[in-house]
mmCIF file of all heavy atoms in Angstrom:
data_model
loop_
_atom_site.group_PDB
_atom_site.id
_atom_site.type_symbol
_atom_site.label_atom_id
_atom_site.label_comp_id
_atom_site.label_asym_id
_atom_site.label_seq_id
_atom_site.Cartn_x
_atom_site.Cartn_y
_atom_site.Cartn_z
ATOM 1 N N ASN B 1194 82.905 137.188 165.855
ATOM 2 C CA ASN B 1194 84.192 137.635 166.388
ATOM 3 C C ASN B 1194 84.702 138.854 165.615
ATOM 4 O O ASN B 1194 84.645 138.881 164.390
ATOM 5 C CB ASN B 1194 85.242 136.528 166.279
ATOM 6 C CG ASN B 1194 84.836 135.287 167.037
ATOM 7 O OD1 ASN B 1194 84.377 135.369 168.181
ATOM 8 N ND2 ASN B 1194 84.951 134.141 166.381
ATOM 9 N N ASP B 1195 85.223 139.809 166.350
ATOM 10 C CA ASP B 1195 85.796 140.986 165.720
ATOM 11 C C ASP B 1195 87.147 140.608 165.096
ATOM 12 O O ASP B 1195 88.086 140.235 165.802
ATOM 13 C CB ASP B 1195 85.994 142.075 166.783
ATOM 14 C CG ASP B 1195 86.389 143.399 166.153
ATOM 15 O OD1 ASP B 1195 86.848 143.394 164.990
ATOM 16 O OD2 ASP B 1195 86.248 144.446 166.821
ATOM 17 N N ILE B 1196 87.246 140.680 163.786
ATOM 18 C CA ILE B 1196 88.512 140.304 163.128
ATOM 19 C C ILE B 1196 89.181 141.517 162.481
ATOM 20 O O ILE B 1196 90.091 141.365 161.660
ATOM 21 C CB ILE B 1196 88.291 139.196 162.069
ATOM 22 C CG1 ILE B 1196 87.337 139.667 160.957
ATOM 23 C CG2 ILE B 1196 87.767 137.922 162.694
ATOM 24 C CD1 ILE B 1196 87.461 138.860 159.685
ATOM 25 N N THR B 1197 88.746 142.708 162.872
ATOM 26 C CA THR B 1197 89.257 143.926 162.238
ATOM 27 C C THR B 1197 90.782 143.997 162.259
ATOM 28 O O THR B 1197 91.409 144.396 161.297
ATOM 29 C CB THR B 1197 88.681 145.160 162.966
ATOM 30 O OG1 THR B 1197 87.284 144.965 163.138
ATOM 31 C CG2 THR B 1197 88.926 146.428 162.178
ATOM 32 N N LYS B 1198 91.373 143.592 163.395
ATOM 33 C CA LYS B 1198 92.817 143.792 163.537
ATOM 34 C C LYS B 1198 93.616 142.497 163.409
ATOM 35 O O LYS B 1198 94.812 142.473 163.683
ATOM 36 C CB LYS B 1198 93.093 144.453 164.899
ATOM 37 C CG LYS B 1198 92.524 145.860 164.980
ATOM 38 C CD LYS B 1198 93.287 146.731 165.959
ATOM 39 C CE LYS B 1198 93.027 148.195 165.715
ATOM 40 N NZ LYS B 1198 91.644 148.597 166.074
ATOM 41 N N ILE B 1199 92.944 141.421 163.024
ATOM 42 C CA ILE B 1199 93.649 140.141 162.896
ATOM 43 C C ILE B 1199 94.515 140.171 161.631
ATOM 44 O O ILE B 1199 94.039 140.556 160.575
ATOM 45 C CB ILE B 1199 92.634 138.982 162.813
ATOM 46 C CG1 ILE B 1199 91.732 139.038 164.040
ATOM 47 C CG2 ILE B 1199 93.312 137.644 162.617
ATOM 48 C CD1 ILE B 1199 91.709 137.856 164.905
ATOM 49 N N PRO B 1200 95.812 139.775 161.736
ATOM 50 C CA PRO B 1200 96.648 139.793 160.529
ATOM 51 C C PRO B 1200 96.151 138.805 159.475
ATOM 52 O O PRO B 1200 95.563 137.775 159.808
ATOM 53 C CB PRO B 1200 98.040 139.407 161.041
ATOM 54 C CG PRO B 1200 97.828 138.810 162.382
ATOM 55 C CD PRO B 1200 96.558 139.378 162.924
ATOM 56 N N CYS B 1201 96.430 139.157 158.232
ATOM 57 C CA CYS B 1201 95.917 138.406 157.087
ATOM 58 C C CYS B 1201 96.157 136.899 157.189
ATOM 59 O O CYS B 1201 95.259 136.108 156.937
ATOM 60 C CB CYS B 1201 96.566 138.956 155.819
ATOM 61 S SG CYS B 1201 95.937 138.212 154.329
ATOM 62 N N HIS B 1202 97.368 136.493 157.602
ATOM 63 C CA HIS B 1202 97.662 135.055 157.556
ATOM 64 C C HIS B 1202 96.880 134.249 158.586
ATOM 65 O O HIS B 1202 96.836 133.024 158.515
ATOM 66 C CB HIS B 1202 99.171 134.809 157.692
ATOM 67 C CG HIS B 1202 99.732 135.122 159.039
ATOM 68 N ND1 HIS B 1202 100.249 136.360 159.357
ATOM 69 C CD2 HIS B 1202 99.844 134.370 160.154
ATOM 70 C CE1 HIS B 1202 100.663 136.341 160.611
ATOM 71 N NE2 HIS B 1202 100.427 135.154 161.120
ATOM 72 N N LYS B 1203 96.245 134.940 159.549
ATOM 73 C CA LYS B 1203 95.471 134.193 160.548
ATOM 74 C C LYS B 1203 94.005 134.058 160.157
ATOM 75 O O LYS B 1203 93.290 133.225 160.708
ATOM 76 C CB LYS B 1203 95.583 134.888 161.907
ATOM 77 C CG LYS B 1203 96.946 134.685 162.528
ATOM 78 C CD LYS B 1203 96.974 135.132 163.966
ATOM 79 C CE LYS B 1203 98.347 134.880 164.572
ATOM 80 N NZ LYS B 1203 98.628 135.821 165.653
ATOM 81 N N ILE B 1204 93.578 134.882 159.199
ATOM 82 C CA ILE B 1204 92.165 134.914 158.826
ATOM 83 C C ILE B 1204 91.710 133.569 158.255
ATOM 84 O O ILE B 1204 90.635 133.071 158.590
ATOM 85 C CB ILE B 1204 91.921 136.040 157.799
ATOM 86 C CG1 ILE B 1204 92.264 137.379 158.445
ATOM 87 C CG2 ILE B 1204 90.515 135.965 157.221
ATOM 88 C CD1 ILE B 1204 91.135 138.275 158.768
ATOM 89 N N VAL B 1205 92.567 132.970 157.430
ATOM 90 C CA VAL B 1205 92.183 131.727 156.771
ATOM 91 C C VAL B 1205 91.937 130.616 157.798
ATOM 92 O O VAL B 1205 91.074 129.766 157.618
ATOM 93 C CB VAL B 1205 93.227 131.316 155.703
ATOM 94 C CG1 VAL B 1205 94.569 131.045 156.320
ATOM 95 C CG2 VAL B 1205 92.750 130.127 154.898
ATOM 96 N N HIS B 1206 92.644 130.689 158.927
ATOM 97 C CA HIS B 1206 92.443 129.688 159.988
ATOM 98 C C HIS B 1206 91.027 129.770 160.576
ATOM 99 O O HIS B 1206 90.530 128.806 161.126
ATOM 100 C CB HIS B 1206 93.450 129.891 161.122
ATOM 101 C CG HIS B 1206 94.866 129.676 160.694
ATOM 102 N ND1 HIS B 1206 95.535 128.500 160.897
ATOM 103 C CD2 HIS B 1206 95.737 130.484 160.044
ATOM 104 C CE1 HIS B 1206 96.756 128.596 160.401
ATOM 105 N NE2 HIS B 1206 96.901 129.790 159.879
ATOM 106 N N LEU B 1207 90.414 130.957 160.470
ATOM 107 C CA LEU B 1207 89.084 131.139 161.041
ATOM 108 C C LEU B 1207 87.983 130.599 160.128
ATOM 109 O O LEU B 1207 86.844 130.481 160.545
ATOM 110 C CB LEU B 1207 88.836 132.630 161.316
ATOM 111 C CG LEU B 1207 89.839 133.325 162.232
ATOM 112 C CD1 LEU B 1207 89.574 134.817 162.284
ATOM 113 C CD2 LEU B 1207 89.768 132.731 163.625
ATOM 114 N N GLY B 1208 88.338 130.319 158.874
ATOM 115 C CA GLY B 1208 87.334 129.753 157.976
ATOM 116 C C GLY B 1208 86.907 130.699 156.871
ATOM 117 O O GLY B 1208 85.809 130.581 156.321
ATOM 118 N N MET B 1209 87.753 131.659 156.555
ATOM 119 C CA MET B 1209 87.416 132.634 155.526
ATOM 120 C C MET B 1209 88.561 132.635 154.515
ATOM 121 O O MET B 1209 89.693 132.932 154.864
ATOM 122 C CB MET B 1209 87.312 133.994 156.206
ATOM 123 C CG MET B 1209 86.811 135.093 155.372
ATOM 124 S SD MET B 1209 86.202 136.326 156.567
ATOM 125 C CE MET B 1209 87.044 137.733 156.027
ATOM 126 N N THR B 1210 88.291 132.244 153.285
ATOM 127 C CA THR B 1210 89.353 132.130 152.284
ATOM 128 C C THR B 1210 88.996 132.949 151.064
ATOM 129 O O THR B 1210 87.841 132.977 150.640
ATOM 130 C CB THR B 1210 89.563 130.650 151.881
ATOM 131 O OG1 THR B 1210 89.773 129.881 153.053
ATOM 132 C CG2 THR B 1210 90.757 130.501 150.966
ATOM 133 N N GLN B 1211 90.001 133.618 150.522
ATOM 134 C CA GLN B 1211 89.755 134.480 149.376
ATOM 135 C C GLN B 1211 90.483 133.983 148.133
ATOM 136 O O GLN B 1211 91.653 133.615 148.201
ATOM 137 C CB GLN B 1211 90.227 135.907 149.699
ATOM 138 C CG GLN B 1211 89.893 136.875 148.584
ATOM 139 C CD GLN B 1211 90.013 138.341 148.992
ATOM 140 O OE1 GLN B 1211 90.406 139.169 148.219
ATOM 141 N NE2 GLN B 1211 89.644 138.661 150.217
ATOM 142 N N VAL B 1212 89.756 133.978 147.012
ATOM 143 C CA VAL B 1212 90.383 133.757 145.713
ATOM 144 C C VAL B 1212 90.648 135.155 145.153
ATOM 145 O O VAL B 1212 89.710 135.864 144.802
ATOM 146 C CB VAL B 1212 89.463 132.976 144.756
ATOM 147 C CG1 VAL B 1212 90.138 132.779 143.406
ATOM 148 C CG2 VAL B 1212 89.081 131.638 145.363
ATOM 149 N N PRO B 1213 91.919 135.587 145.119
ATOM 150 C CA PRO B 1213 92.172 136.988 144.807
ATOM 151 C C PRO B 1213 91.962 137.328 143.334
ATOM 152 O O PRO B 1213 91.931 136.441 142.481
ATOM 153 C CB PRO B 1213 93.639 137.176 145.201
ATOM 154 C CG PRO B 1213 94.235 135.831 145.085
ATOM 155 C CD PRO B 1213 93.155 134.837 145.373
ATOM 156 N N GLU B 1214 91.815 138.616 143.092
ATOM 157 C CA GLU B 1214 91.695 139.101 141.722
ATOM 158 C C GLU B 1214 92.949 138.698 140.946
ATOM 159 O O GLU B 1214 94.056 138.781 141.451
ATOM 160 C CB GLU B 1214 91.577 140.631 141.744
ATOM 161 C CG GLU B 1214 91.344 141.225 140.380
ATOM 162 C CD GLU B 1214 91.374 142.749 140.416
ATOM 163 O OE1 GLU B 1214 91.977 143.327 141.334
ATOM 164 O OE2 GLU B 1214 90.779 143.351 139.516
ATOM 165 N N GLY B 1215 92.738 138.273 139.709
ATOM 166 C CA GLY B 1215 93.878 137.860 138.896
ATOM 167 C C GLY B 1215 94.417 136.495 139.290
ATOM 168 O O GLY B 1215 95.508 136.118 138.911
ATOM 169 N N ARG B 1216 93.655 135.745 140.101
ATOM 170 C CA ARG B 1216 93.897 134.372 140.512
ATOM 171 C C ARG B 1216 95.133 134.205 141.385
ATOM 172 O O ARG B 1216 95.103 133.536 142.389
ATOM 173 C CB ARG B 1216 93.999 133.438 139.306
ATOM 174 C CG ARG B 1216 93.015 133.817 138.209
ATOM 175 C CD ARG B 1216 93.027 132.873 137.062
ATOM 176 N NE ARG B 1216 93.130 133.504 135.769
ATOM 177 C CZ ARG B 1216 92.142 134.225 135.210
ATOM 178 N NH1 ARG B 1216 90.997 134.353 135.841
ATOM 179 N NH2 ARG B 1216 92.297 134.766 134.049
ATOM 180 N N ARG B 1217 96.269 134.788 140.972
ATOM 181 C CA ARG B 1217 97.507 134.752 141.761
ATOM 182 C C ARG B 1217 97.867 133.358 142.250
ATOM 183 O O ARG B 1217 98.185 133.159 143.425
ATOM 184 C CB ARG B 1217 97.415 135.752 142.918
ATOM 185 C CG ARG B 1217 97.457 137.181 142.386
ATOM 186 C CD ARG B 1217 97.088 138.199 143.409
ATOM 187 N NE ARG B 1217 98.143 138.407 144.384
ATOM 188 C CZ ARG B 1217 98.141 139.433 145.246
ATOM 189 N NH1 ARG B 1217 97.164 140.322 145.231
ATOM 190 N NH2 ARG B 1217 99.093 139.589 146.107
#
Side-chain angles (χ1 to χ4, degrees):
Chain B
N1194 300 315
D1195 189 341
I1196 61 160
T1197 313
K1198 294 207 162 70
I1199 304 239
C1201 184
H1202 69 268
K1203 287 191 178 153
I1204 298 251
V1205 63
H1206 296 262
L1207 303 173
M1209 188 159 127
T1210 307
Q1211 185 165 144
V1212 179
E1214 184 186 23
R1216 322 184 229 290
R1217 290 168 74 168

